[in-house]
PDB file of all heavy atoms in Angstrom:
ATOM      1  N   PRO A  82      12.019 -13.809   7.151  1.00  0.00           N
ATOM      2  CA  PRO A  82      11.068 -13.332   8.201  1.00  0.00           C
ATOM      3  C   PRO A  82      11.717 -13.425   9.565  1.00  0.00           C
ATOM      4  O   PRO A  82      11.520 -12.499  10.403  1.00  0.00           O
ATOM      5  CB  PRO A  82       9.889 -14.257   8.071  1.00  0.00           C
ATOM      6  CG  PRO A  82       9.897 -14.710   6.639  1.00  0.00           C
ATOM      7  CD  PRO A  82      11.336 -14.788   6.244  1.00  0.00           C
ATOM      8  N   LEU A 122      18.719   5.755  12.786  1.00  0.00           N
ATOM      9  CA  LEU A 122      19.466   6.136  11.553  1.00  0.00           C
ATOM     10  C   LEU A 122      20.100   7.512  11.759  1.00  0.00           C
ATOM     11  O   LEU A 122      21.237   7.728  11.314  1.00  0.00           O
ATOM     12  CB  LEU A 122      18.527   6.117  10.371  1.00  0.00           C
ATOM     13  CG  LEU A 122      18.011   4.760   9.918  1.00  0.00           C
ATOM     14  CD1 LEU A 122      16.959   4.885   8.818  1.00  0.00           C
ATOM     15  CD2 LEU A 122      19.189   3.882   9.444  1.00  0.00           C
ATOM     16  N   ALA A 143      25.302  11.989 -11.827  1.00  0.00           N
ATOM     17  CA  ALA A 143      24.858  12.248 -10.454  1.00  0.00           C
ATOM     18  C   ALA A 143      23.328  12.253 -10.438  1.00  0.00           C
ATOM     19  O   ALA A 143      22.676  12.735 -11.363  1.00  0.00           O
ATOM     20  CB  ALA A 143      25.378  13.592  -9.963  1.00  0.00           C
ATOM     21  N   ALA A 160      27.218   5.675  -5.333  1.00  0.00           N
ATOM     22  CA  ALA A 160      26.232   4.732  -5.843  1.00  0.00           C
ATOM     23  C   ALA A 160      24.871   5.214  -5.367  1.00  0.00           C
ATOM     24  O   ALA A 160      24.752   6.000  -4.427  1.00  0.00           O
ATOM     25  CB  ALA A 160      26.479   3.316  -5.345  1.00  0.00           C
ATOM     26  N   SER A 178       5.633   8.217 -10.299  1.00  0.00           N
ATOM     27  CA  SER A 178       6.070   9.245 -11.288  1.00  0.00           C
ATOM     28  C   SER A 178       7.546   9.133 -11.678  1.00  0.00           C
ATOM     29  O   SER A 178       8.000   9.825 -12.587  1.00  0.00           O
ATOM     30  CB  SER A 178       5.793  10.678 -10.709  1.00  0.00           C
ATOM     31  OG  SER A 178       6.540  10.823  -9.490  1.00  0.00           O
ATOM     32  N   HIS A 189      13.471  -1.355 -18.910  1.00  0.00           N
ATOM     33  CA  HIS A 189      12.116  -1.869 -19.237  1.00  0.00           C
ATOM     34  C   HIS A 189      11.249  -1.900 -18.008  1.00  0.00           C
ATOM     35  O   HIS A 189      11.632  -2.480 -16.968  1.00  0.00           O
ATOM     36  CB  HIS A 189      12.202  -3.244 -19.887  1.00  0.00           C
ATOM     37  CG  HIS A 189      10.852  -3.771 -20.250  1.00  0.00           C
ATOM     38  ND1 HIS A 189      10.224  -4.754 -19.548  1.00  0.00           N
ATOM     39  CD2 HIS A 189       9.982  -3.382 -21.230  1.00  0.00           C
ATOM     40  CE1 HIS A 189       9.031  -5.007 -20.057  1.00  0.00           C
ATOM     41  NE2 HIS A 189       8.857  -4.192 -21.083  1.00  0.00           N
ATOM     42  N   ALA A 191       7.278  -2.735 -16.510  1.00  0.00           N
ATOM     43  CA  ALA A 191       5.921  -3.301 -16.727  1.00  0.00           C
ATOM     44  C   ALA A 191       4.919  -2.262 -16.238  1.00  0.00           C
ATOM     45  O   ALA A 191       5.176  -1.625 -15.212  1.00  0.00           O
ATOM     46  CB  ALA A 191       5.762  -4.591 -15.941  1.00  0.00           C
ATOM     47  N   PRO A 216     -21.044  -6.150   6.383  1.00  0.00           N
ATOM     48  CA  PRO A 216     -20.229  -7.305   6.085  1.00  0.00           C
ATOM     49  C   PRO A 216     -21.018  -8.551   5.680  1.00  0.00           C
ATOM     50  O   PRO A 216     -22.148  -8.753   6.158  1.00  0.00           O
ATOM     51  CB  PRO A 216     -19.461  -7.574   7.374  1.00  0.00           C
ATOM     52  CG  PRO A 216     -20.430  -7.098   8.454  1.00  0.00           C
ATOM     53  CD  PRO A 216     -21.248  -5.968   7.840  1.00  0.00           C
ATOM     54  N   HIS A 238     -19.356   0.357  -4.445  1.00  0.00           N
ATOM     55  CA  HIS A 238     -18.898  -0.042  -5.804  1.00  0.00           C
ATOM     56  C   HIS A 238     -18.881  -1.544  -5.967  1.00  0.00           C
ATOM     57  O   HIS A 238     -18.822  -2.011  -7.138  1.00  0.00           O
ATOM     58  CB  HIS A 238     -17.463   0.485  -6.031  1.00  0.00           C
ATOM     59  CG  HIS A 238     -17.320   1.943  -5.815  1.00  0.00           C
ATOM     60  ND1 HIS A 238     -17.818   2.837  -6.686  1.00  0.00           N
ATOM     61  CD2 HIS A 238     -16.797   2.638  -4.805  1.00  0.00           C
ATOM     62  CE1 HIS A 238     -17.619   4.078  -6.224  1.00  0.00           C
ATOM     63  NE2 HIS A 238     -16.948   3.960  -5.113  1.00  0.00           N
ATOM     64  N   GLY A 239     -18.879  -2.304  -4.903  1.00  0.00           N
ATOM     65  CA  GLY A 239     -18.752  -3.755  -5.100  1.00  0.00           C
ATOM     66  C   GLY A 239     -18.414  -4.452  -3.807  1.00  0.00           C
ATOM     67  O   GLY A 239     -19.145  -4.410  -2.845  1.00  0.00           O
ATOM     68  N   ARG A 253      -8.139  -9.800 -11.995  1.00  0.00           N
ATOM     69  CA  ARG A 253      -7.580  -8.717 -12.807  1.00  0.00           C
ATOM     70  C   ARG A 253      -7.049  -9.280 -14.136  1.00  0.00           C
ATOM     71  O   ARG A 253      -7.336  -8.759 -15.234  1.00  0.00           O
ATOM     72  CB  ARG A 253      -6.479  -8.000 -12.016  1.00  0.00           C
ATOM     73  CG  ARG A 253      -5.758  -6.934 -12.788  1.00  0.00           C
ATOM     74  CD  ARG A 253      -4.399  -6.706 -12.155  1.00  0.00           C
ATOM     75  NE  ARG A 253      -3.567  -7.898 -12.243  1.00  0.00           N
ATOM     76  CZ  ARG A 253      -2.618  -8.219 -11.356  1.00  0.00           C
ATOM     77  NH1 ARG A 253      -2.344  -7.435 -10.343  1.00  0.00           N
ATOM     78  NH2 ARG A 253      -1.911  -9.345 -11.516  1.00  0.00           N
ATOM     79  N   HIS A 283     -37.746 -29.215   3.207  1.00  0.00           N
ATOM     80  CA  HIS A 283     -38.937 -29.126   4.007  1.00  0.00           C
ATOM     81  C   HIS A 283     -39.925 -28.114   3.452  1.00  0.00           C
ATOM     82  O   HIS A 283     -39.538 -26.981   3.134  1.00  0.00           O
ATOM     83  CB  HIS A 283     -38.590 -28.710   5.464  1.00  0.00           C
ATOM     84  CG  HIS A 283     -37.783 -29.743   6.151  1.00  0.00           C
ATOM     85  ND1 HIS A 283     -38.241 -30.980   6.443  1.00  0.00           N
ATOM     86  CD2 HIS A 283     -36.450 -29.702   6.591  1.00  0.00           C
ATOM     87  CE1 HIS A 283     -37.246 -31.701   6.992  1.00  0.00           C
ATOM     88  NE2 HIS A 283     -36.197 -30.926   7.115  1.00  0.00           N
ATOM     89  N   LEU A 323     -32.060 -23.420  -5.307  1.00  0.00           N
ATOM     90  CA  LEU A 323     -31.657 -22.410  -4.323  1.00  0.00           C
ATOM     91  C   LEU A 323     -30.470 -22.901  -3.481  1.00  0.00           C
ATOM     92  O   LEU A 323     -29.520 -22.134  -3.229  1.00  0.00           O
ATOM     93  CB  LEU A 323     -32.878 -22.043  -3.422  1.00  0.00           C
ATOM     94  CG  LEU A 323     -32.632 -20.953  -2.399  1.00  0.00           C
ATOM     95  CD1 LEU A 323     -32.177 -19.650  -3.057  1.00  0.00           C
ATOM     96  CD2 LEU A 323     -33.885 -20.749  -1.586  1.00  0.00           C
ATOM     97  N   ILE A 334     -18.758  -9.677 -11.835  1.00  0.00           N
ATOM     98  CA  ILE A 334     -17.676  -8.704 -11.629  1.00  0.00           C
ATOM     99  C   ILE A 334     -17.465  -7.864 -12.875  1.00  0.00           C
ATOM    100  O   ILE A 334     -17.333  -8.419 -13.977  1.00  0.00           O
ATOM    101  CB  ILE A 334     -16.368  -9.400 -11.272  1.00  0.00           C
ATOM    102  CG1 ILE A 334     -16.506 -10.268 -10.034  1.00  0.00           C
ATOM    103  CG2 ILE A 334     -15.216  -8.404 -11.099  1.00  0.00           C
ATOM    104  CD1 ILE A 334     -16.934  -9.501  -8.767  1.00  0.00           C
ATOM    105  N   THR A 337     -11.885  -4.302 -11.628  1.00  0.00           N
ATOM    106  CA  THR A 337     -11.207  -4.128 -10.357  1.00  0.00           C
ATOM    107  C   THR A 337     -11.339  -2.671  -9.950  1.00  0.00           C
ATOM    108  O   THR A 337     -11.586  -1.840 -10.785  1.00  0.00           O
ATOM    109  CB  THR A 337      -9.711  -4.476 -10.479  1.00  0.00           C
ATOM    110  OG1 THR A 337      -9.175  -3.718 -11.543  1.00  0.00           O
ATOM    111  CG2 THR A 337      -9.464  -5.942 -10.711  1.00  0.00           C
ATOM    112  N   ALA A 378       2.345  -9.921  -4.260  1.00  0.00           N
ATOM    113  CA  ALA A 378       2.150 -10.981  -3.237  1.00  0.00           C
ATOM    114  C   ALA A 378       0.851 -10.664  -2.516  1.00  0.00           C
ATOM    115  O   ALA A 378       0.413  -9.507  -2.531  1.00  0.00           O
ATOM    116  CB  ALA A 378       3.324 -11.008  -2.270  1.00  0.00           C
ATOM    117  N   GLY A 387       8.623  -8.303   1.608  1.00  0.00           N
ATOM    118  CA  GLY A 387       9.218  -8.158   0.266  1.00  0.00           C
ATOM    119  C   GLY A 387       9.969  -6.841   0.168  1.00  0.00           C
ATOM    120  O   GLY A 387      11.115  -6.781  -0.395  1.00  0.00           O
ATOM    121  N   ARG A 416      28.067   4.749 -13.927  1.00  0.00           N
ATOM    122  CA  ARG A 416      28.284   4.917 -15.350  1.00  0.00           C
ATOM    123  C   ARG A 416      26.961   4.758 -16.064  1.00  0.00           C
ATOM    124  O   ARG A 416      26.535   3.682 -16.414  1.00  0.00           O
ATOM    125  CB  ARG A 416      29.268   3.848 -15.855  1.00  0.00           C
ATOM    126  CG  ARG A 416      30.697   3.995 -15.346  1.00  0.00           C
ATOM    127  CD  ARG A 416      31.569   3.003 -16.065  1.00  0.00           C
ATOM    128  NE  ARG A 416      31.142   1.621 -15.812  1.00  0.00           N
ATOM    129  CZ  ARG A 416      31.502   0.892 -14.792  1.00  0.00           C
ATOM    130  NH1 ARG A 416      32.288   1.405 -13.877  1.00  0.00           N
ATOM    131  NH2 ARG A 416      31.075  -0.371 -14.665  1.00  0.00           N
TER     132      ARG A 416
END
Side-chain angles (χ1 to χ4, degrees):
L122 290 174
S178 59
H189 180 255
H238 306 287
R253 176 203 62 209
H283 295 295
L323 183 58
I334 301 300
T337 52
R416 291 188 301 274

